[in-house]
Amino acid sequence: MKTKLLLVTLLVPTLSFAQSLERKFEALIRTEKNKPVVTEVVLKDLTSAEAFEGAHFKIVRGKSDEAIKFTDDKALTFRAATTYYHLTKAREYFVNHMKSKHAAAIPQMTIRIDHTNQFSELGHFAHDNMEPQYNNALTVPAGKGLESRGVKPWGTEIWFRPSKKIHVRDLRVNNTANREMQVLMKQFRNQTHMQSLQRFLLTTVLALTEDGVSLDPKESIIRTVGASVIIEVGYQAFDPITKAFSRKWYWLDTAVVPEIIYHEYAHVALSDHLVLSHSTAIIEGMADFFAGQIANSPELAKHIKKYNTYSGKDAERKQDYMIQFEMTEYANTDFVFGMLWSLKEILGEEKGEAFMFDLRKKLTTNSTIRGQLIEGILQTCEESCASPFVDKLRILKALNLRGI
Ligand SMILES: [Zn+2]
């Protein structure tokens, strides 16, 4: 009896401490037409009354362990609120809609915004002098830490880099009349989505200088976020301070781009099978697929359908399968994404979504497109298609058309 009483008295304060709070904030969301707007949103499951810390996410700045305060400067709180809001949406999608036990069991994650350090598997953060990162985001796997160096263990984290503006005059475009972002986008599309948008732009950028150190644009990108077709809708998404769009500047403020936030969270939710050791076309394609599902936007779907190089109607050149797609450098092509998206259309929206979620169980980080991905698609169909024989034939026929 005594122990019971003791337990009760111990539990009471814990429960009241862990109550979840709600609070309204301005954040960036998409309209039905997929246009970015700033509006008031409700942040749920907060456990702190003064900072962006909740049951599932803690939003910090850079290397800090302290959650960003509600009273911090507005540009920072706007980005923290937007990130928190869309992460909550992505989590609810996986936990409630896809019934992911893995996502439901993930303890509070630390989310870093304005974080420029590269990732180090041993030290968590690479040294500050190691090429700071911009216009980018990534999900890092949990680590054991390094006690002898005072590096504490960490859980799975998502890092959003600060944006850095690049003027189009600094882009290496021969024709001066072509120095408009819109024109660059078209050029990019015409070159097919063979590489990520960022890589496309960065390889056209003259050597940037950072603190007097000349950067090789190719090396300054370790990992990029998502396939081009997803990134394209998020490029220069919004400037929360000037509230203006620009046709003259390129930047990617990843912490306020809903699709990028969904893409990164999808990596976390899919990591029960697709371990986050490195980027592959399959891992990126799966994350993009679910980013598209969470966004649930007919406008975005139209854009994906139109321009993806796997099956896009308006893609200048449809891209057949190439062995190179299996390599890390091509992880951000939209080939796999386009493939999964068009398979969903064969299977039907609802069925296709459940299909892709089951598909992850047949895959690992080392799977190849031509090997385990195709095998996994056919096996999943065997288990869940309405008429497996006919459906498998339809799938195979569609894949054959793209050189697989
Ligand atoms: Zn990714």
Side-chain angles (χ1 to χ4, degrees), residues 18-21 43-48 52-59 83-92 95-96 102-111 155-158 265 268:
Q19 80 190 119
S20 80
L21 307 166
L43 302 190
K44 296 190 283 189
D45 304 325
L46 288 163
T47 51
S48 164
F52 293 91
E53 174 156 23
H56 312 297
F57 304 105
K58 177 168 78 169
I59 319 287
T83 309
Y84 189 100
Y85 175 77
H86 291 289
L87 283 170
T88 304
K89 189 176 156 184
R91 182 185 176 273
E92 285 179 349
V95 173
N96 301 333
H102 172 67
I106 295 169
Q108 185 199 55
M109 288 178 64
T110 298
I111 310 297
T156 306
E157 297 185 348
I158 300 175
Y265 188 80
V268 178

Side-chain angles (χ1 to χ4, degrees), residues 224 226 263-264 267 284:
T224 52
H263 172 98
E264 294 306 327
H267 275 311
E284 297 306 330

Side-chain angles (χ1 to χ4, degrees), residues 119-253:
F119 175 60
S120 156
E121 272 168 37
L122 286 178
H124 196 184
F125 310 125
H127 195 274
D128 290 353
N129 294 343
M130 288 270 292
E131 241 181 77
Q133 298 288 300
Y134 302 93
N135 299 328
N136 202 351
L138 86 161
T139 303
V140 306
K144 292 196 185 78
L146 210 61
E147 223 186 292
S148 60
R149 296 279 181 91
V151 180
K152 283 181 268 172
W154 65 90
T156 306
E157 297 185 348
I158 300 175
W159 296 3
F160 296 95
R161 276 62 167 86
S163 64
K164 182 168 166 167
K165 292 186 177 183
I166 301 165
H167 198 279
V168 289
R169 73 166 167 256
D170 295 328
L171 298 172
R172 193 185 290 146
V173 180
N174 298 332
N175 182 353
T176 45
N178 275 354
R179 287 176 181 172
E180 281 276 335
M181 199 42 88
Q182 247 78 347
V183 178
L184 281 173
M185 284 302 132
K186 191 153 183 290
Q187 270 187 18
F188 163 69
R189 230 176 259 148
N190 292 351
Q191 283 193 17
T192 77
H193 295 149
M194 284 288 293
Q195 45 187 351
S196 79
L197 175 65
Q198 275 191 306
R199 216 170 269 173
F200 168 81
L201 290 170
L202 282 166
T203 47
T204 54
V205 170
L206 297 164
L208 293 167
T209 52
E210 176 64 30
D211 303 328
V213 184
S214 179
L215 297 180
D216 178 346
K218 266 181 249 138
E219 280 178 17
S220 65
I221 286 297
I222 296 294
R223 259 196 257 195
T224 52
V225 275
S228 337
V229 109
I230 283 274
I231 297 272
E232 214 179 304
V233 296
Y235 92 94
Q236 49 174 305
F238 205 75
D239 187 332
I241 301 158
T242 61
K243 303 204 170 177
F245 295 90
S246 169
R247 291 157 64 87
K248 293 284 181 195
W249 295 87
Y250 162 73
W251 73 90
L252 196 60
D253 194 351

Side-chain angles (χ1 to χ4, degrees), residues 339-357:
M339 178 202 285
L340 300 177
W341 200 262
S342 61
L343 278 182
K344 180 186 75 168
E345 284 167 355
I346 294 180
L347 297 160
E349 177 69 40
E350 213 174 301
K351 188 113 202 165
E353 183 181 51
F355 185 101
M356 295 313 159
F357 196 55

